[in-house]
Amino acid sequence: PESVTSIGGTAFQGCSSLTSIIIPEGVTSIGYWAFNSCSSLKSVYCKPTTPPNGESNMFASNASGRKIYVPASDDDSIINAYKTADGWKNYASAFEEYEFD
């Protein structure tokens, strides 16, 4: 739900039926291996404009070709912030901008 502010370590680890997730705008932290080994996870939609504090390997061992969608900005500041943030920079090649409703 939109009221979530933190996703704990290993919260969804090994959830093989998870194909897509939406990280609410109010999330400020994602723990170690939170979505590790979610072998069907292909789409991650991150609504926060500031990258949540993230641990390395939070998205390790997901489906091949997994994309992480972040809010679009005219100057690429949001996607660039994600690409350089600790924990997130490991997934820099997976980012794409997205227009959230």
Side-chain angles (χ1 to χ4, degrees):
E2 287 295 321
S3 60
V4 170
T5 59
S6 179
I7 300 171
T10 68
F12 296 93
Q13 182 177 7
C15 189
S16 61
S17 62
L18 190 63
T19 60
S20 177
I21 58 168
I22 298 172
I23 297 174
E25 192 171 343
V27 170
T28 58
S29 66
I30 300 175
Y32 191 75
W33 285 3
F35 298 96
N36 178 55
S37 296
C38 294
S39 56
S40 299
L41 184 59
K42 296 211 46 114
S43 302
V44 176
Y45 295 89
C46 295
K47 288 186 170 183
T49 55
T50 299
N53 292 327
E55 298 291 336
S56 62
N57 296 319
M58 58 187 159
F59 295 109
S61 302
N62 293 162
S64 175
R66 183 244 309 104
K67 294 290 181 186
I68 301 174
Y69 299 97
V70 300
S73 62
D74 291 338
D75 61 359
D76 294 333
S77 61
I78 297 172
I79 196 168
N80 288 334
Y82 272 89
K83 286 181 176 182
T84 58
D86 287 341
W88 294 94
K89 60 187 169 188
N90 298 344
Y91 309 103
S93 64
F95 289 112
E96 289 190 16
E97 290 184 309
Y98 185 82
E99 292 287 341
F100 289 97
D101 294 331

